[in-house]
Structures are given as structure tokens and as C-alpha cells.
Amino acid sequence: MTIASLQAVPKLQSVVGDHGTVSSYTRESQINVTPTCTLTIEFAETASAEGMAAVLSEVAPLDRYGACQVDGANIANLSSRGKLFVDPDAWETISPEGWRAVAEKLTLPDAVWISLHMDTASVLTSHAVSADPFYIGRAVSDDEYSAFVSMLGSLTEGTPLEETIGPIRWKLDWSHRASAFTGVRITTDATTPPAELAVLLDALTPYLDGRTTSVDSLSFDVEGGSMVTHVALTQPDDGAIEIIKREFETSGLRGEIEFSTRASGE
């Protein structure tokens, strides 16, 4: 596989050009070990969304890289930029418009991890089995709540990805060990979270971004077109419920809102 890599890297680098570099990982054939050659694109920090999209749309066809597979791309300084994982078939099927939409999300500050899967393997969700091919996810711990809300707002702006590349499952999590409000979980089965969700979470910042609130956590789920926002409380609090209901209505977020109170001793 070392020889395959030496032959494939220059071919992919000619596609990437000045927008970044190509790295390779190889594993030679051994007993019970399958030989592997994997190529990864690392875009420069200065690469624009337009430049990245141009590169991603030219990676296919993959047969020119011989035995090597192109597994995706990342951006230098991953602490604040996204990473892309791509199944082989996805390189061949996503349009230039789709790659532009993906690149725009990757270049956002604190971007998500995007996986583009074209296989038929089912993925178990909280309520059902979904075979949606594309997945976007990010887990954030101990960052500021306001930073998470800002990231969500950026991700939900512009043209929804599903309009250019197809159905997308989202899973975004935020948690904080030192805050009274411990976390947010957002999951969808085939669509980008609505922009109104970011509006709601932003409006709730004064009530949630601190150490003295009766609100424990908030979750937002979309399944089969049905939207449910669930708020968990640590103790009964009619005042908090009234505030959240009011901001929910003001935000324009569709669907139902539910409340629950943690049982004593939990």
C-alpha cells in the first residue's frame, strides 16, 4: 500500500492545489489484517468556502487513485473548524451546489462534524430506525451556553443543506457540569433544525445561562415532521414555565412544548 499511496497522493494534490495538502495512511496486508490506503485533504486555514467547494466537487472519479480511498477533509486548527467524513459513493453523487453548501458550514466558527454516508446501513435513533444517508453532529461540553446558541444560529442560517444534498439527520449536544442548567440536546430525523429554535434559546439566555435556575435541561426533537420541545425542571416552578411558554410563542417555533419535573431523590 505504500507504493499505492506514493502514486495516489500527487494525483489528489493536483486537485487540491494551493488550497491545502494531502496526507495518507497506509496499512500493509498481514494475517487477519486488511491492507488499507486512505487519503485525507487538509485545507489551509485561509481556504475560502468557494475554494473548498471547488476542490470537493473535483475529487471524483475515485478510480484514478487506484487502491486508495479518499475519506474526507478537515481544516487546519481543528479546535475551531469543522471536519468532513465522506463515504466513497457520496463523492460521485453530490452536486457542485451541494458541495458549496457543505463548505459553507465547514468554514463557520465552531463548525460541526459532517458525515456523508451513501450506504444503506440503518442507524438507531431514540424512537425508530432511520436510513437517512447524511449526518451532522457535534457535542460541546463546558463551553458557554451563549457560544452554543451562537453556533446554532450560524448553522441554521442560509439555504438548508437538505435542499442541495438530501435528507440530513442532526444531533447537537451542549452540556455544562458547573451550571444549574446542564444541557441542550437537538436531534432531527431528516431536516435542519429551524432557525426559530436558535431564536428561542437566545431569548432564554438570561434564564438559563447561570447557576440559579430551576430548569435542568432542554431537548428538541424532529421526527416524521413532528416537532417537540421538552423542558426538564429540577423542581416545580410556575414562573419559569410561564417565561418559557411566552418565549416559545414569541419565537414562532412550531410544534409542541412539554414540561416535566424531576422526581424527588433523582
Side-chain angles (χ1 to χ4, degrees), residues 22 47 61 88 91 113 129 149 171 219 222 233:
V22 176
W91 289 113
W113 300 68
V129 173
V149 174
K171 183 178 180 182
S219 63
V222 180
L233 304 171

Side-chain angles (χ1 to χ4, degrees), residues 135-266:
Y135 170 80
I136 293 183
R138 180 177 172 88
V140 182
S141 296
D142 293 337
D143 282 358
E144 293 295 329
Y145 170 79
S146 57
F148 174 80
V149 174
S150 177
M151 179 193 74
L152 177 63
S154 297
L155 292 173
T156 55
E157 292 175 352
T159 302
L161 286 176
E162 60 266 22
E163 292 186 11
T164 55
I165 65 175
I168 301 172
R169 293 180 298 106
W170 288 70
K171 183 178 180 182
L172 303 174
D173 292 276
W174 174 83
S175 62
H176 203 300
R177 290 181 294 244
S179 175
F181 178 67
T182 60
V184 179
R185 169 160 291 187
I186 301 167
T187 58
T188 75
D189 58 359
T191 184
T192 300
E196 292 81 2
L197 177 60
V199 173
L200 172 63
L201 294 179
D202 183 51
L204 293 177
T205 298
Y207 314 108
L208 303 182
D209 193 9
R211 301 174 183 272
T212 57
T213 177
S214 59
V215 182
D216 179 70
S217 61
L218 184 148
S219 63
F220 175 82
D221 299 284
V222 180
E223 185 172 352
S226 177
M227 297 184 184
V228 178
T229 302
H230 182 87
V231 181
L233 304 171
T234 57
Q235 60 189 10
D237 189 334
D238 292 339
I241 291 175
E242 183 64 26
I243 289 170
I244 295 170
K245 282 183 175 180
R246 184 183 68 235
E247 298 296 353
F248 178 83
E249 294 175 0
T250 301
S251 72
L253 185 61
R254 295 186 295 113
E256 301 177 3
I257 184 166
E258 302 174 343
F259 295 87
S260 65
T261 303
R262 183 196 304 171
S264 176
E266 289 186 356

Side-chain angles (χ1 to χ4, degrees), residues 30-51:
Q30 300 179 33
I31 298 175
N32 297 325
V33 176
T34 302
T36 299
C37 174
T38 302
L39 308 179
T40 303
I41 300 168
E42 182 172 275
F43 289 110
E45 286 188 71
T46 55
S48 65
E50 293 79 10

Side-chain angles (χ1 to χ4, degrees), residues 11-60:
K11 295 179 181 178
L12 183 56
Q13 186 63 60
S14 69
V15 175
V16 176
D18 296 334
H19 297 289
T21 59
V22 176
S23 62
S24 66
Y25 168 79
T26 61
R27 183 175 60 193
E28 302 299 335
S29 178
Q30 300 179 33
I31 298 175
N32 297 325
V33 176
T34 302
T36 299
C37 174
T38 302
L39 308 179
T40 303
I41 300 168
E42 182 172 275
F43 289 110
E45 286 188 71
T46 55
S48 65
E50 293 79 10
M52 292 169 54
V55 170
L56 295 171
S57 63
E58 293 296 327
V59 169

Side-chain angles (χ1 to χ4, degrees), residues 80-130:
S80 62
R81 307 300 284 274
K83 187 164 185 176
L84 172 69
F85 302 92
V86 186
D87 278 2
D89 290 343
W91 289 113
E92 312 279 351
T93 58
I94 295 177
S95 68
E97 292 77 15
W99 286 123
R100 279 197 293 272
V102 169
E104 288 172 359
K105 300 302 183 187
L106 287 175
T107 53
L108 291 171
D110 295 314
V112 294
W113 300 68
I114 302 178
S115 296
L116 304 178
H117 298 290
M118 294 300 295
D119 56 31
T120 56
S122 295
V123 179
L124 184 64
T125 65
S126 57
H127 301 289
V129 173
S130 170

Side-chain angles (χ1 to χ4, degrees), residues 59-71:
V59 169
L62 299 185
D63 54 7
R64 58 178 147 171
Y65 311 118
C68 297
Q69 296 286 343
V70 184
D71 71 343

